[in-house]
Amino acid sequence: MSMMTGERAAADTRAARREARLAIEEFNAEYCAVLDDGDLMDWPDFFTAEAFYNITSRENFDHGRPVGLVYCEGRAMLRDRALAIAKTSMFGPRYLRHYMANTRVTGIEPGGTICATVNYILIETLAELPEGRLHQAGRMIDRFEPQPGGGLLLSSRIAVYDTLLVPNALVLPV
Amino acid sequence: MSWHPSIPAAEVREKGAVAVEADGLRLALFALEGEIFATANICTHAFALLTEGHVEGGCVECPLHQGLFDIRTGKAQGAPVTKDLATYAVKVEDGTVWIDTEPRAGAEAEAPAFAGAGQGPDPRRVVILGGGQAGAEAARALRAEGFAGPVTLVGAEAHAPYERPPLSKDLLLGRTTLAEAEVFEPGEAERLGTVLRLGLRATAIDRAARQVALEDGTALGYDILILATGAEARRLALPGAETVTLHSLRDAGDAQRLGPALRAASRVAVIGGGFIGLEIASAARALGRDVAVIEAQDRLLKRLLPEGPAELLAWVAGENGVALHLGAAVAGVSPEGVALADGRLVAADCIVIGAGAVPGDALGRAAGLETATAGGILVNARGATSDPAIYAIGDVAVARDEISGAETRMESWQNARASALRAACAIAGTPLPAPETPWFWSDLFGGTLQIAGLPAPDLPTVRRDGDAPAFYCLDAASRVTACIEFGDPELLRLGRRLIASGQPVDPARLADPDTDLSLIEEDDMKMLPIEKRFTWPASGLDRVPDWVYTSREIYDREIERIFHGPTWNYVGLAAEVPEPGDYIRTNVGPTPVVMVRDHDGGINVVENRCSHRAAEFCRELRGNAEEFVCPYHQWSYDLKGNLSGVPFRRGVNGEGGMGPDFDPANHGVRKLKVTQRNGAVFASFSEEVESFEDYMGAEMLADFDTVFPGRKLRVLGHYRHTLMGNWKLYPENLKDPYHATLLHTFLVTFGLLVAGNKSAMIVDPRGRHSTMASAKSDGATVSAENKAEMRAYRDGMVLEDPRLMEFVEEFDSPWSVTMQVVWPGLIVQREMNTLGVRQIVPNGPNEFTMVWTMFGYEDDDEEMTRHRLRQGNLMGPAGFLGLEDNEAIKFVQDGMLNSTGGEHLVALDPKVPAGTSNTLISEAAIRAMYRHWRQEMGL
């Protein structure tokens, strides 16, 4: 049913972008649900085996500086990240809630890869800070690969945050 | 039954405890009296290997939290361990230990090991050497502070412990008896449970065996030893000494000899014009004898008192019929009396030497304890000597101030008591009392002279004449440091209050007998000075009070004395401003500055504050500019910070504008002193700061240069985050090797820091900079045991992508990891191949911002750069290690914020008071940092 799964080059049409946007919104809703309320070990499954994942400040991104708060090459490193956080990291109890909005499909490449951006905010609530606070606001710069079953996987996600000063620590991915 | 072979039995017997793996289980083999036992090797309480613990009495103590298990049965012996250890059957065949890996039933089924383990008797044995007042007071104070273990007091004198002051006073006159001077009430020693072994001399201390050898040939074991060996009368080698009886006065025997001798004499000569000599003279006069006092100095008490009170004493002595011979050297003694060097003879039929006392430090000195240059055993604020198992109190102890290094030995009744109490508190684990103002008294010629505080001969002294004269010593800031009174104790009481208040006083008013001294306080004492309000815990550097981390006033003083003081503060990398006009906004401490490269190629650092109305004029994080223009009134500055333009400086149409005296040259922005070291830029508000190389010292500079070898740097980016803690907690964290394997489970789990890694905590001689270093073992050289350790201790815990942990050798250094603190606000990170600097920007006492600049070298290839970036996952605000430190620091600050009067305990590794230690289970580096901090802060 999808025009992106066949042999033909994917067409970058208005309709295709609209369809892709819906698929991405669905994807991100699931993605956020896993990070907010689910099992962190499921998070790497949103990515392709070779995926690139980076969280970096707008300061770095705008100046072409490559460091990331989290910098992963490949799903194996994403799994290591999830495992390390889940099993070895010490941090205070907290709730994190991710919001993604303003999804924009910026292009569909002939190979089917969907390029998109989405704004995000991350609200962190600590036991001693029950009113919660904005932890990050920024945008995701994404590349999605359509999968044979009809779903999407991220082959690249760069989270660029405007909130220059990270409050204390970023314990979970965005 | 599931038998598995392990290792040779001989190896277990040789080592006592060996970790082995059998059938996938991590087991411990122990040898007890030749027999071999197997237990699980992981503590049932928290993750730790029991084979690294201490084995004693058939039990193994877990190295982590001191949980105790019976090796034979696996039974947990009480808190914190509640769950028994699995045990396994063992047999030895052909010299090899075989283990049945099916655990024995039973151990856990038995009743829980908790037997309501209350406070039993303290197992530590305290031995007190010295049967004087200090020794006896220590025995008494130990019980008062709740110490429940056995206490033995060994005294060379046969008499029960007594106080010495009456010896030279009423006892000489026969007005009191020695029994009345005894420290213990009748039956008190028995009630205290103190074993008195009197008339017995100790001959040696064996610190390794923790034994005291006694003259009867026996030895006395101790866990804690208290040296209260006092002082001995100073002997003078005088020609003719063999022809007469030379008396001195130190102990009861001396007093018992001297009393009758004074009564039998008609003329008494006292050699030595100190307090003891004057007291003997006083007693001799009270007996109606002719008395002469011979003093080598040109006045009495020249080493102790200022001239005023010494002259008063000389006058009083003269009025009471004492003949004073000042500036008189003794040539010899004879039955006729004392011959002076000038040829005169002081006729006497009783000669007494009162030339002071020397500390009885021979036992401690022979045992290798640190001693003071002038004699005596050096102790810290708690009374502990250089051997943490040995304390010294009373006359033999020399207290060395941890901050100033000043050494003080006090021979006084008060100090005997107070030092005994301090040691007892330290041993019993109770809080130390605040230091008392020193107090001393002497009964002379029917009056009493009292001294409060520490007088010194060279201090300016104010005399106040009232009903009786009193003297006040003042320091350079006109604050009262000591009070000497002779006849009006009320003046001493008021003097004590002035000493405690630390307020400057007007010397003229102090001298005026019509000034009410209690009103001096009320008039002038609006605000106590900072060092009187913020006093360090009496225990010393092993405690850090909360106010160090939470007080705004302390924080302000840190900015003034540390960040704006003679320190080098990291501001950025030269690689961040490669071209003329390139600038970054940065900070020195909390103060905003701009680092900018000028057209001469130099790097300038100027305060980011317009000299007109203080506006922080540079707003962009970085950029390139030809000049800086303050947005408010368009004042402009060149790249060196010089004021180049003032709009309407000369007014409009001759009206307004600056006055004729306005010179732009005087109104540039504040320029800081700048230095560079291989691409790192430092600035200082102080013109007096030493060179960066001297500031660092050779050892610290070498670690710094490993990361900054002069290769061109490539900036990979920044992290910025706020931490909800006091800024000092961050350098402390990197001077705290104790936390590394305890907080950072990741390190242990994935083998980055494991038992057997080489590591070090190195501190510069001044205590401010430091390097925490460790060497990652590469796979080829890791022992099988350590490999087992590096594997996850929970199933499935291995890195899927091991590139994170790869270490590409690129430095000429024995260390794969160095975390260097460059005081006050820089951390240089070399975590294998991920390199960076962290700049601390304090933001009030309870928060700071950390700016990380991650970098590589310009000649790195693409793969090396990516490797550094991948390894960066370890560090930063989301780093596997970094985030845990951030959280821990926040927890510490949270713990302090809503309480008051608290203090931290940083007492690990007492053998190293402060500085570099050989063990990672140490807080000596933190203590060194606070020694420096207190020196800089004057607190």
Side-chain angles (χ1 to χ4, degrees):
Chain A
M1 98 184 199
S2 170
M3 63 196 164
M4 290 168 272
T5 52
E7 292 291 307
R8 290 176 294 120
D12 186 3
T13 63
R14 256 184 103 110
R17 287 196 180 195
R18 192 172 297 129
E19 189 184 347
R21 180 165 57 79
L22 279 173
I24 289 168
E25 284 175 354
E26 214 168 83
F27 177 96
N28 281 334
E30 290 303 318
Y31 182 98
C32 292
V34 163
L35 288 181
D36 295 342
D37 305 304
D39 182 348
L40 186 61
M41 297 308 293
D42 293 338
W43 167 70
D45 296 339
F46 287 99
F47 295 84
T48 65
E50 304 303 319
F52 177 70
Y53 177 83
N54 189 10
I55 306 175
T56 194
S57 68
R58 188 160 174 177
E59 174 192 13
N60 289 323
F61 187 80
D62 289 351
H63 289 87
R65 293 193 161 147
V67 293
L69 293 180
V70 177
Y71 185 98
C72 294
E73 291 177 350
R75 192 160 55 206
M77 283 186 80
L78 291 164
R79 287 217 178 94
D80 290 341
R81 166 66 63 169
L83 181 81
I85 295 170
K87 304 284 197 222
T88 75
S89 287
M90 187 291 293
F91 50 84
R94 69 197 64 209
Y95 299 135
L96 292 168
R97 200 145 294 277
H98 297 69
Y99 296 83
M100 294 196 192
N102 301 24
T103 308
R104 288 172 64 227
V105 175
T106 54
I108 300 176
E109 294 179 356
T113 302
I114 304 163
C115 303
T117 66
V118 60
N119 290 353
Y120 75 94
I121 58 177
L122 172 62
I123 305 289
E124 180 178 67
T125 307
L126 305 173
E128 66 275 22
L129 194 74
E131 64 273 32
R133 69 170 165 210
L134 177 69
H135 195 279
Q136 283 206 339
R139 73 183 150 138
M140 306 285 187
I141 300 168
D142 293 332
R143 291 170 63 80
F144 289 95
E145 307 302 331
Q147 298 301 301
L152 299 174
L153 287 179
L154 282 163
S155 58
S156 174
R157 166 158 274 181
I158 302 172
V160 181
Y161 57 92
D162 303 334
T163 38
L164 193 61
L165 272 178
V166 177
N168 207 36
L170 178 73
V171 301
L172 287 187
V174 291
Chain B
M1 291 279 175
S2 175
W3 288 96
H4 296 265
S6 65
I7 58 170
E11 188 183 336
V12 183
R13 292 196 180 101
E14 183 200 332
K15 294 181 178 164
V18 188
V20 295
E21 273 198 52
D23 197 18
L25 294 170
R26 302 177 68 159
L27 303 176
L29 292 177
F30 296 99
L32 295 177
E33 291 154 10
E35 201 179 339
I36 292 172
F37 298 89
T39 70
N41 197 15
I42 295 171
C43 179
T44 59
H45 171 241
F47 178 75
L49 295 183
L50 294 173
T51 42
E52 291 171 6
H54 177 69
V55 177
E56 195 177 291
C59 288
V60 60
E61 185 188 82
C62 174
L64 204 53
H65 301 110
Q66 291 74 54
L68 205 61
F69 297 95
D70 185 300
I71 289 168
R72 293 179 175 89
T73 64
K75 277 188 73 62
Q77 300 293 299
V81 289
T82 55
K83 192 164 177 282
D84 295 339
L85 207 56
T87 59
Y88 300 87
V90 167
K91 61 185 178 184
V92 178
E93 282 179 9
D94 299 331
T96 295
V97 179
W98 287 69
I99 307 165
D100 177 2
T101 54
E102 282 174 24
R104 284 176 173 152
E108 286 183 46
E110 288 173 29
F114 260 131
Q119 288 289 108
D122 198 308
R124 297 174 299 167
R125 300 157 297 167
V126 171
V127 170
I128 303 168
L129 285 190
Q133 184 204 348
E137 293 281 8
R140 182 186 271 165
L142 278 167
R143 295 298 184 229
E145 296 302 320
F147 179 76
V151 177
T152 306
L153 187 151
V154 178
E157 284 183 72
H159 202 281
Y162 55 88
E163 297 179 356
R164 283 178 206 283
L167 295 188
S168 53
K169 305 179 177 89
D170 285 352
L171 200 72
L172 274 188
L173 299 174
R175 292 178 189 157
T176 182
T177 63
L178 193 56
E180 286 178 62
E182 283 178 11
V183 180
F184 290 135
E185 307 287 328
E188 186 181 357
E190 292 73 26
R191 280 199 303 282
L192 293 172
T194 303
V195 178
L196 295 181
R197 300 188 64 180
L198 302 174
L200 185 62
R201 205 169 283 277
T203 54
I205 300 165
D206 182 344
R207 289 166 53 199
R210 296 206 171 162
Q211 275 186 354
V212 178
L214 302 172
E215 63 182 340
D216 64 3
T218 62
L220 191 56
Y222 67 84
D223 295 293
I224 291 171
L225 182 66
I226 300 177
L227 293 180
T229 44
E232 295 148 18
R234 189 186 302 279
R235 312 264 167 223
L236 299 178
L238 295 176
E242 67 288 350
T243 64
V244 290
T245 303
L246 285 178
H247 289 276
S248 60
L249 183 54
R250 185 68 206 166
D251 60 28
D254 294 337
Q256 275 154 10
R257 283 185 291 275
L258 181 58
L262 289 180
R263 279 186 202 90
S266 55
R267 282 180 297 191
V268 178
V270 180
I271 300 175
F275 279 113
I276 191 81
L278 291 174
E279 286 186 4
I280 294 165
S282 170
R285 283 300 299 145
L287 292 170
R289 306 295 172 256
D290 282 350
V291 178
V293 170
I294 301 158
E295 169 58 50
Q297 302 286 338
D298 56 7
R299 66 172 171 85
L300 296 177
L301 295 155
K302 192 164 186 179
R303 274 186 294 268
L304 182 67
L305 291 188
E307 206 169 338
E311 281 180 353
L312 175 76
L313 271 183
W315 178 80
V316 169
E319 289 294 293
N320 282 277
V322 174
L324 285 181
H325 299 275
L326 298 177
V330 174
V333 290
S334 68
E336 282 71 48
V338 181
L340 302 183
D342 61 9
R344 284 181 294 156
L345 175 75
V346 178
D349 50 5
C350 175
I351 303 173
V352 191
I353 297 178
V358 289
D361 60 9
L363 280 177
R365 187 180 288 271
L369 298 178
E370 252 191 282
T371 53
T373 34
I377 308 292
L378 281 173
V379 297
N380 63 17
R382 296 178 303 287
T385 67
S386 55
D387 179 342
I390 304 181
Y391 290 76
I393 59 174
D395 293 357
V396 77
V398 179
R400 177 161 56 189
D401 186 276
E402 288 173 309
I403 307 309
S404 68
E407 297 176 355
T408 317
R409 193 172 72 84
M410 275 194 276
E411 293 173 14
S412 75
W413 178 90
Q414 180 207 31
N415 180 55
R417 240 170 144 243
S419 62
L421 177 60
R422 282 196 298 274
C425 289
I427 293 165
T430 54
L432 264 68
E436 296 171 19
T437 302
W439 169 56
F440 173 88
W441 87 91
S442 181
D443 291 334
L444 295 170
F445 309 110
T448 299
L449 175 133
Q450 294 193 85
I451 302 175
L454 288 174
D458 48 352
L459 286 176
T461 302
V462 171
R463 176 174 174 142
R464 180 186 167 101
D465 282 308
D467 295 339
F471 298 87
Y472 297 90
C473 296
L474 305 181
D475 68 7
S478 285
R479 295 177 298 197
V480 177
T481 61
C483 169
I484 302 147
E485 66 77 22
F486 198 31
D488 188 353
E490 176 64 9
L491 290 177
L492 188 84
R493 196 183 65 77
L494 292 166
R496 277 198 170 130
R497 275 171 69 175
L498 291 174
I499 293 167
S501 78
Q503 285 299 302
V505 292
D506 177 355
R509 292 187 63 204
L510 188 61
D512 180 355
D514 294 331
T515 305
D516 183 340
L517 286 187
S518 62
L519 291 182
I520 281 200
E521 294 180 52
E522 281 179 24
D523 287 352
D524 297 344
M525 219 173 295
K526 299 293 183 227
M527 176 92 164
L528 281 173
I530 187 166
E531 66 272 16
K532 294 283 180 186
R533 280 175 293 126
F534 294 97
T535 53
W536 201 268
S539 176
L541 286 172
D542 68 349
R543 303 288 197 286
V544 182
D546 284 3
W547 51 256
V548 162
Y549 306 98
T550 56
S551 160
R552 177 78 207 193
E553 191 177 352
I554 294 295
Y555 172 78
D556 288 344
R557 195 172 170 97
E558 286 174 334
I559 296 170
E560 174 199 329
R561 296 206 169 197
I562 296 172
F563 293 106
H564 288 195
T567 53
W568 281 114
N569 297 270
Y570 170 85
V571 286
L573 298 176
E576 294 180 85
V577 290
E579 303 298 329
D582 284 351
Y583 67 86
I584 62 168
R585 250 176 83 167
T586 175
N587 300 76
V588 168
T591 309
V593 299
V594 180
M595 172 176 117
V596 54
R597 192 180 288 275
D598 61 31
H599 288 284
D600 305 330
I603 291 179
N604 307 306
V605 176
V606 299
E607 202 173 346
N608 191 355
R609 173 192 163 110
C610 181
S611 57
H612 176 217
R613 294 299 305 277
E616 197 179 327
F617 55 84
C618 175
R619 309 302 300 181
E620 298 286 337
L621 278 177
R622 59 176 54 77
N624 183 282
E626 279 304 304
E627 60 173 0
F628 294 104
V629 180
C630 177
Y632 197 178
H633 303 96
Q634 305 285 311
W635 285 36
S636 59
Y637 302 94
D638 68 16
L639 299 182
K640 294 181 193 292
N642 301 311
L643 179 60
S644 52
V646 174
F648 304 114
R649 177 182 161 191
R650 297 180 206 289
V652 176
N653 298 329
E655 298 288 321
M658 286 291 184
D661 56 349
F662 179 79
D663 181 357
N666 297 333
H667 295 276
V669 290
R670 181 155 180 192
K671 299 160 185 140
L672 278 68
K673 196 164 165 167
V674 179
T675 192
Q676 292 187 51
R677 178 84 187 174
N678 294 339
V681 185
F682 295 82
S684 182
F685 273 98
S686 163
E687 281 301 318
E688 281 76 47
V689 65
E690 64 215 294
S691 74
F692 182 73
E693 289 68 25
D694 289 345
Y695 183 70
M696 292 291 281
E699 190 176 25
M700 287 293 130
L701 201 59
D703 290 337
F704 183 89
D705 286 351
T706 303
V707 180
F708 292 97
R711 286 164 77 183
K712 286 217 158 184
L713 305 179
R714 179 193 293 170
V715 177
L716 299 178
H718 303 278
Y719 313 133
R720 298 172 194 265
H721 62 139
T722 49
L723 286 89
M724 288 63 178
N726 182 270
W727 68 273
K728 294 185 294 299
L729 291 171
Y730 210 92
E732 269 182 53
N733 175 267
L734 294 167
K735 294 169 187 278
D736 169 16
Y738 179 49
H739 87 282
T741 60
L742 299 171
L743 173 64
H744 301 308
T745 315
F746 184 90
L747 282 176
V748 182
T749 306
F750 297 110
L752 212 56
L753 186 65
V754 295
N757 272 175
K758 200 166 68 138
S759 39
M761 182 72 243
I762 305 153
V763 180
D764 89 306
R766 293 186 55 184
R768 50 190 178 179
H769 317 305
S770 58
T771 302
M772 193 191 306
S774 64
K776 181 179 189 277
S777 325
D778 63 32
T781 59
V782 177
S783 68
E785 186 187 343
N786 282 344
K787 269 184 187 157
E789 179 101 16
M790 287 165 70
R791 230 183 45 204
Y793 65 86
R794 294 188 186 104
D795 286 341
M797 294 278 284
V798 286
L799 287 178
E800 280 190 42
D801 190 336
R803 289 181 298 176
L804 178 72
M805 308 300 262
E806 275 169 16
F807 176 43
V808 180
E809 296 262 5
E810 60 174 331
F811 301 106
D812 180 19
S813 165
W815 309 114
S816 54
V817 176
T818 56
M819 294 289 166
Q820 182 173 42
V821 175
V822 178
W823 179 258
L826 174 68
I827 287 90
V828 180
Q829 165 199 321
R830 175 164 73 87
E831 175 75 47
M832 295 187 284
N833 301 111
T834 182
L835 310 177
V837 287
R838 310 174 196 167
Q839 180 190 3
I840 293 170
V841 180
N843 188 20
N846 299 310
E847 186 184 294
F848 64 100
T849 296
M850 183 82 88
V851 182
W852 303 57
T853 304
M854 309 303 291
F855 57 85
Y857 302 109
E858 216 169 68
D859 51 6
D860 287 342
D861 62 17
E862 169 72 14
E863 177 47 32
M864 190 63 184
T865 298
R866 291 166 80 91
H867 175 57
R868 296 195 200 282
L869 292 168
R870 283 193 297 265
Q871 216 156 54
N873 280 299
L874 292 170
M875 291 297 169
F880 295 134
L881 312 180
L883 81 87
E884 295 178 320
D885 290 322
N886 304 343
E887 285 287 284
I889 285 169
K890 178 182 188 305
F891 294 175
V892 171
Q893 199 76 17
D894 285 349
M896 294 187 287
L897 275 180
N898 294 308
S899 64
T900 178
E903 55 190 41
H904 297 222
L905 180 67
V906 286
L908 287 173
D909 192 20
K911 277 187 188 165
V912 181
T916 298
S917 175
N918 292 327
T919 170
L920 297 188
I921 312 304
S922 175
E923 285 159 337
I926 296 176
R927 293 192 289 274
M929 177 178 128
Y930 279 105
R931 188 183 61 201
H932 177 70
W933 184 88
R934 289 176 62 188
Q935 287 165 346
E936 296 298 295
M937 294 287 284
L939 290 172

